[in-house]
Amino acid sequence: MGLRSLLTDAWSWLNYKPVMAGTHDGRPHRALAPELQATWLPDDAVRRLAAYKLLAAYDSNQAGELTALAGNESAAERREFGEPSVFVDTALAHMLGKNQQIIVPGAEHASDDEPSPEAIAAAEVQQRLRDWAEAELLPLRMQAAERKAVLLGDGIYLLAWDPSKNRVRLKTYDPGFYFPVLEDDADPGDFPSRVHLAWEIPEDPKRGIKAKLRRITYELGSIVPPTRSTTRDGHAWREPVEDGAGHPLLASGDTYVPETGSLERTYPWAPDGPSTITCYLTDAEWLLEDLRHGQSLDELPLDKATFRTRADGEVLHNLDLQIDFLPVVHISNSIADGEHFGQSSLAKVMQVLDELAETDTDSAKASATTGAPIIGLAGARAEVDRVTGRPRPLAIQPGTVFQLSDGGRMDVLDTSGQLAELRARTEEVRDRAAINARLPAVSLGTVDPSDVPSGYALQLSLGPLDSLVDSMRLARAHKYVLLLKLVQRLHQAGRAEGWPVGETMAARLVFGPHTPTDRTAILDEVVKGVAANVLSLETGVRMLQDAGYPIEDAREEVRRIQARVALPKVALQTTPTESKAGDRQQAA
């Protein structure tokens, strides 16, 4: 069933799919996502999760299978050869670049002859962040989260302090588990004050496990007196910590402000600015049979919840994390334009991908008739089945001989012309998909290098890819600045060694070049520019570093070059008298 009215939202580019707009209100078809009919699921998340599932089906070559489940039986024969996955992987590889590096501004001056304290501190933070990234396998986790972001439009990072490892742990989540509580009038770029990570745990009769819903909630709220873990009616719970007179006690470092009636706390990253806000963590499970219709994810009954317990015995029910931020970072694939969620890199080419799959399907059918053509015989005597008395079907195979009567003939249906047209159509549709996705053929590896007339022509052909990568990196730049800031603050909150009290430094993640570079041409350009005094040695070394030469520290490399250049000059500064004296000494 099609749309009865025009529905425009962040996922309306999928409305052309009957399974996406299966009802009059635009809700997805039940065959697409039966689990999306769960009563706890927020109404505004149904279409988003359905879009995720549809995109995941395209990525795994299951779009035809999903369409067949919705009632289109002919879709089961659909040919899918992996173009969506190739497009996603190509966009991801170019967006990430060949490498990623953590940079703290000012750290490059730490190797000066007289570095400032700020430069030394920046270099120390930069090295600690790089050590953390190596220990946490940041590039691998970025691959996992960013592929979700490129394919689905969104990616999720979760940070948590691990006392046993004495460092911050980084975890990635599927964006289908991400449910932020957004205010109606909030700016799309604002960070929510409450975030849920929720998913269903399927029933397992063999282990006696009933179907459950797990919800992890991070929420910002006012600081309250501390609580401690306990049990109530056999269930884990938290209760206020009180003195002998029944008055609540204050946590170490908290201060009561009589004028406002609130509690204040000074955090390590803001020693001069007390805060009244903290972050609370709740991790609980509910049996699906205990949830009534109309109880959404944000309003689940706490009296039916089973709260989980941390490894150190702390019950995760409004647990004060001693931080004033949510340790959740949402990565958007596109620049926010009135929407909190991003857009998939496949959004603009979904219909082209469908056309490509249909063309591949027709081509496969045509190739079958070309390889095993339809043959018509006239004047042939067919063998009669003695049991049924009917002529047996003619089987054509190598070495088969047919006896034809006078005037008999054999006609072969030639479909090779249609097959050639379909193959040309396939290339045409594939090229259009690449153009609309801003992935030139040269980036997909489908162009013979000998067909490129010049390097300038190659650079021009990469123009759409440059704009795509720039927009994707721009959408992520401030999110990775935030991620590295939260890493620093969580280390400070955990009192990790080497992370002093003080304001966190601005660190950023720099992506490597996304296109191949002519290193020989750049080296020649640097040599000529430095020799002609139109480029400084420092600029030339940085150009070589950006081109991929193994230079770890540009300033140290400049120092080494200058030291080697100075050695011959020192040797030439010997006086003639010293030279003659040396000659007499050698003769003696």
Side-chain angles (χ1 to χ4, degrees):
M1 182 183 298
L3 284 172
R4 296 183 180 178
S5 60
L6 180 63
L7 177 63
T8 303
D9 60 6
W11 299 274
S12 56
W13 44 272
L14 279 172
N15 284 345
Y16 79 97
K17 305 287 290 186
V19 293
M20 187 63 182
T23 59
H24 69 280
D25 58 355
R27 293 177 71 88
H29 195 283
R30 291 184 63 89
L32 173 64
E35 66 273 12
L36 297 185
Q37 311 302 323
T39 60
W40 59 269
L41 195 65
D43 292 336
D44 57 358
V46 174
R47 282 175 56 82
R48 174 171 66 93
L49 298 190
Y52 288 165
K53 188 166 187 177
L54 193 57
L55 289 167
Y58 272 79
D59 183 50
S60 57
N61 294 342
Q62 291 182 294
E65 178 183 346
L66 194 60
T67 306
L69 290 176
N72 187 358
E73 296 180 358
S74 62
E77 300 179 0
R78 171 177 171 142
R79 296 293 188 270
E80 300 176 76
F81 298 142
E83 277 82 3
S85 180
V86 171
F87 281 15
V88 169
D89 291 338
T90 302
L92 173 65
H94 287 292
M95 191 279 298
L96 291 177
K98 293 184 177 180
N99 51 58
Q100 304 84 41
Q101 192 173 26
I102 297 176
I103 299 296
V104 177
E108 67 274 11
H109 299 294
S111 57
D112 292 348
D113 295 334
E114 295 181 359
S116 63
E118 293 79 9
I120 296 176
E124 292 176 351
V125 171
Q126 177 176 276
Q127 187 58 46
R128 285 196 294 268
L129 286 174
R130 290 180 178 180
D131 293 341
W132 168 82
E134 183 178 358
E136 274 301 298
L137 305 177
L138 180 61
L140 294 181
R141 301 188 190 278
M142 284 182 61
Q143 285 276 349
E146 288 293 356
R147 196 180 192 283
K148 292 287 187 182
V150 174
L151 172 63
L152 306 179
D154 305 285
I156 303 298
Y157 289 113
L158 177 64
L159 297 165
W161 173 252
D162 188 345
S164 61
K165 294 185 177 296
N166 198 34
R167 72 167 185 265
V168 176
R169 302 304 306 273
L170 179 65
K171 190 175 182 180
T172 62
Y173 273 87
D174 190 289
F177 299 159
Y178 174 66
F179 301 94
V181 180
L182 304 174
E183 301 295 336
D184 294 336
D185 57 348
D187 186 90
D190 292 343
F191 300 103
S193 59
R194 190 177 191 185
V195 166
H196 302 297
L197 299 173
W199 61 92
E200 288 189 6
I201 301 174
E203 181 182 8
D204 189 352
K206 294 182 179 180
R207 300 171 57 189
I209 298 177
K210 296 183 178 181
K212 300 178 182 179
L213 167 65
R214 182 178 177 184
R215 189 191 74 180
I216 304 174
T217 302
Y218 292 89
E219 181 179 11
L220 295 179
S222 300
I223 300 175
V224 299
T227 58
R228 61 188 174 191
S229 302
T230 184
T231 55
R232 189 175 69 177
D233 298 332
H235 298 284
W237 196 257
R238 298 192 71 86
E239 63 179 8
V241 179
E242 300 176 345
D243 58 12
H247 300 107
L249 298 177
L250 297 183
S252 176
D254 292 354
T255 305
Y256 177 71
V257 182
E259 293 78 9
T260 60
S262 60
L263 297 179
E264 289 185 348
R265 179 181 300 160
T266 300
Y267 291 103
W269 48 87
D272 300 329
S275 174
T276 60
I277 301 297
T278 189
C279 179
Y280 295 99
L281 168 62
T282 300
D283 188 353
E285 294 178 351
W286 287 263
L287 294 177
L288 292 183
E289 62 185 23
D290 291 339
L291 301 182
R292 299 191 306 272
H293 185 76
Q295 292 179 331
S296 65
L297 182 63
D298 201 39
E299 302 171 349
L300 298 179
L302 295 180
D303 58 335
K304 300 290 186 179
T306 301
F307 298 101
R308 296 173 68 93
T309 303
R310 207 166 59 180
D312 57 359
E314 290 287 351
V315 177
L316 301 180
H317 173 41
N318 285 336
L319 177 65
D320 190 347
L321 297 181
Q322 301 285 319
I323 55 178
D324 61 350
F325 54 85
L326 300 182
V328 180
V329 180
H330 166 242
I331 300 295
S332 175
N333 187 53
S334 56
I335 298 175
D337 184 17
E339 296 288 345
H340 177 78
F341 297 98
Q343 190 177 76
S344 169
S345 294
L346 300 179
K348 299 297 190 294
V349 295
M350 289 292 288
Q351 296 190 44
V352 186
L353 293 174
D354 284 339
E355 179 70 18
L356 181 59
E358 295 297 334
T359 306
D360 286 334
T361 302
D362 294 340
S363 179
K365 294 178 179 178
S367 64
T369 59
T370 301
I374 300 174
I375 298 177
L377 289 176
R381 179 179 298 178
E383 184 180 355
V384 178
D385 192 329
R386 295 182 179 180
V387 177
T388 61
R390 297 179 180 180
R392 290 181 177 180
L394 297 177
I396 299 177
Q397 56 187 0
T400 303
V401 177
F402 295 102
Q403 294 183 355
L404 304 180
S405 60
D406 294 340
R409 72 179 188 272
M410 174 184 291
D411 296 323
V412 179
L413 180 62
D414 184 10
T415 60
S416 59
Q418 291 86 342
L419 179 59
E421 289 293 333
L422 285 171
R423 288 180 175 176
R425 174 62 176 168
T426 299
E427 294 301 323
E428 177 188 354
V429 176
R430 183 180 290 112
D431 290 342
R432 175 172 291 188
I435 292 173
N436 292 350
R438 291 191 287 177
L439 294 173
V442 63
S443 68
L444 294 170
T446 58
V447 172
D448 189 347
S450 61
D451 294 338
V452 180
S454 65
Y456 183 69
L458 175 63
Q459 190 66 27
L460 288 177
S461 67
L462 291 174
L465 178 63
D466 294 340
S467 63
L468 173 65
V469 171
D470 290 343
S471 64
M472 294 175 69
R473 290 182 176 182
L474 179 61
R476 293 160 167 78
H478 67 289
K479 295 299 181 69
Y480 281 105
V481 171
L482 174 64
L483 176 68
L484 296 176
K485 178 187 293 185
L486 300 187
V487 169
Q488 296 180 64
R489 291 187 174 182
L490 285 173
H491 277 103
Q492 289 177 311
R495 295 180 175 84
E497 183 179 357
W499 297 87
V501 174
E503 185 177 354
T504 52
M505 292 191 176
R508 56 191 177 91
L509 190 69
V510 178
F511 297 98
H514 65 279
T515 56
T517 55
D518 190 348
R519 295 173 59 178
T520 304
I522 293 177
L523 177 60
D524 184 62
E525 180 182 352
V526 169
V527 171
K528 292 180 179 179
V530 173
N533 292 325
V534 295
L535 285 178
S536 67
L537 184 58
E538 290 80 1
T539 301
V541 171
R542 288 194 179 93
M543 289 174 61
L544 296 177
Q545 190 178 28
D546 294 338
Y549 281 89
I551 301 175
E552 296 181 359
D553 190 338
R555 299 184 67 87
E556 182 63 26
E557 189 71 16
V558 169
R559 190 180 306 233
R560 293 172 183 171
I561 295 174
Q562 291 175 340
R564 292 178 181 177
V565 171
L567 286 177
K569 295 182 179 179
V570 172
L572 292 175
Q573 287 177 356
T574 57
T575 63
T577 306
E578 293 173 339
S579 179
K580 293 179 180 178
D583 294 341
R584 289 195 300 268
Q585 192 171 19
Q586 289 181 358

